[in-house]
Amino acid sequence: EDEDEDEEEETEEVYTIVQEGTRIEFVIGAELSVLYDDGEWYPGEIAGWTETTGKFRVKLTDGSGTRFSEWLPNSDIRIKGCTRVTEDTRNPSAIEPPPPPSK
Protein backbone atom coordinates (compact mmCIF):
# COMPACT_ATOMS: atom_id res chain seq x y z
CA GLU A 1 0.00 0.00 0.00
CA ASP A 2 2.75 2.45 0.90
CA GLU A 3 4.28 2.04 -2.57
CA ASP A 4 1.00 3.11 -4.21
CA GLU A 5 0.83 6.22 -2.02
CA ASP A 6 4.42 7.15 -2.93
CA GLU A 7 3.63 6.80 -6.64
CA GLU A 8 0.62 9.11 -6.31
CA GLU A 9 2.70 11.79 -4.58
CA GLU A 10 5.34 11.64 -7.32
CA THR A 11 2.77 12.31 -10.05
CA GLU A 12 1.43 15.48 -8.39
CA GLU A 13 2.42 18.46 -10.52
CA VAL A 14 4.50 21.12 -8.80
CA TYR A 15 4.37 24.73 -9.96
CA THR A 16 6.78 27.58 -9.24
CA ILE A 17 6.42 31.35 -9.21
CA VAL A 18 8.20 34.32 -7.69
CA GLN A 19 6.01 36.03 -5.10
CA GLU A 20 7.17 39.11 -3.20
CA GLY A 21 10.74 38.47 -4.34
CA THR A 22 10.83 34.84 -3.18
CA ARG A 23 10.67 31.78 -5.44
CA ILE A 24 8.04 29.35 -4.14
CA GLU A 25 6.72 25.97 -5.26
CA PHE A 26 3.11 24.88 -4.74
CA VAL A 27 0.52 22.30 -5.80
CA ILE A 28 -3.14 22.65 -6.74
CA GLY A 29 -5.11 22.63 -3.49
CA ALA A 30 -2.50 24.63 -1.55
CA GLU A 31 -3.84 27.01 1.11
CA LEU A 32 -3.79 30.73 0.41
CA SER A 33 -5.32 34.07 1.26
CA VAL A 34 -7.10 35.95 -1.50
CA LEU A 35 -7.77 39.69 -1.75
CA TYR A 36 -11.51 40.23 -2.25
CA ASP A 37 -13.29 43.25 -3.75
CA ASP A 38 -13.96 44.63 -0.25
CA GLY A 39 -10.19 44.95 0.38
CA GLU A 40 -10.13 42.10 2.93
CA TRP A 41 -8.09 38.88 2.71
CA TYR A 42 -10.04 35.60 2.87
CA PRO A 43 -8.85 31.99 3.29
CA GLY A 44 -8.99 29.76 0.26
CA GLU A 45 -7.23 27.16 -1.81
CA ILE A 46 -5.79 27.03 -5.29
CA ALA A 47 -8.33 25.42 -7.63
CA GLY A 48 -6.28 26.01 -10.78
CA TRP A 49 -3.25 27.79 -12.20
CA THR A 50 -2.20 28.53 -15.77
CA GLU A 51 1.44 28.89 -16.66
CA THR A 52 0.64 30.87 -19.82
CA THR A 53 -0.57 33.88 -17.80
CA GLY A 54 0.58 32.95 -14.28
CA LYS A 55 -2.94 33.56 -12.94
CA PHE A 56 -4.89 31.56 -10.37
CA ARG A 57 -8.38 30.16 -9.99
CA VAL A 58 -9.41 30.17 -6.30
CA LYS A 59 -12.02 28.52 -4.08
CA LEU A 60 -12.75 30.21 -0.74
CA THR A 61 -12.61 27.98 2.33
CA ASP A 62 -14.55 30.29 4.65
CA GLY A 63 -17.63 28.05 4.41
CA SER A 64 -19.23 30.02 1.58
CA GLY A 65 -18.01 27.64 -1.15
CA THR A 66 -17.39 30.69 -3.35
CA ARG A 67 -15.26 30.06 -6.43
CA PHE A 68 -13.79 32.93 -8.39
CA SER A 69 -14.82 32.61 -12.01
CA GLU A 70 -12.07 34.89 -13.27
CA TRP A 71 -8.36 34.13 -13.15
CA LEU A 72 -6.67 36.16 -10.41
CA PRO A 73 -3.21 37.71 -10.70
CA ASN A 74 -0.32 36.75 -8.45
CA SER A 75 -0.65 40.09 -6.59
CA ASP A 76 -4.17 39.18 -5.34
CA ILE A 77 -3.09 36.01 -3.57
CA ARG A 78 -0.70 34.96 -0.80
CA ILE A 79 0.12 31.27 -0.92
CA LYS A 80 0.50 29.70 2.53
CA GLY A 81 0.84 26.03 1.62
CA CYS A 82 4.07 26.38 -0.34
CA THR A 83 7.77 25.67 -0.20
CA ARG A 84 10.28 28.50 -0.44
CA VAL A 85 13.13 27.44 -2.69
CA THR A 86 16.44 28.65 -4.02
CA GLU A 87 18.14 27.81 -7.29
CA ASP A 88 19.90 24.96 -5.44
CA THR A 89 16.78 23.51 -3.78
CA ARG A 90 14.16 24.01 -6.49
CA ASN A 91 12.35 21.12 -8.13
CA PRO A 92 13.81 20.88 -11.66
CA SER A 93 10.53 19.51 -13.02
CA ALA A 94 8.37 22.29 -11.50
CA ILE A 95 6.20 24.09 -14.05
CA GLU A 96 6.76 27.85 -14.22
CA PRO A 97 5.36 30.70 -16.28
CA PRO A 98 7.35 31.89 -19.28
CA PRO A 99 9.40 35.06 -18.87
CA PRO A 100 7.73 38.32 -19.87
CA PRO A 101 8.13 39.22 -23.54
CA SER A 102 11.15 41.33 -24.36
CA LYS A 103 10.52 44.78 -25.78
Side-chain angles (χ1 to χ4, degrees):
E1 267 181 54
D2 289 337
E3 289 179 26
D4 291 338
E5 288 178 21
D6 289 342
E7 286 179 28
E8 285 180 26
E9 287 180 23
E10 289 177 21
T11 61
E12 191 170 49
E13 289 187 316
V14 176
Y15 303 93
T16 184
I17 61 169
V18 174
Q19 191 170 52
E20 297 178 0
T22 302
R23 179 176 294 278
I24 60 172
E25 292 178 351
F26 62 92
V27 295
I28 301 302
E31 291 182 39
L32 55 73
S33 294
V34 60
L35 182 61
Y36 204 65
D37 293 340
D38 62 5
E40 297 293 321
W41 292 88
Y42 290 90
E45 65 183 32
I46 299 171
W49 183 75
T50 174
E51 69 263 19
T52 55
T53 64
K55 291 186 178 182
F56 294 84
R57 182 137 315 166
V58 173
K59 176 185 175 188
L60 294 183
T61 56
D62 62 354
S64 69
T66 301
R67 283 187 181 264
F68 287 80
S69 58
E70 69 273 1
W71 291 91
L72 301 175
N74 188 340
S75 59
D76 284 357
I77 63 146
R78 294 180 186 153
I79 301 175
K80 296 178 182 178
C82 66
T83 303
R84 286 171 173 71
V85 295
T86 65
E87 196 60 38
D88 294 334
T89 62
R90 72 181 189 87
N91 181 336
S93 61
I95 301 167
E96 57 186 294
S102 57
K103 294 183 179 184

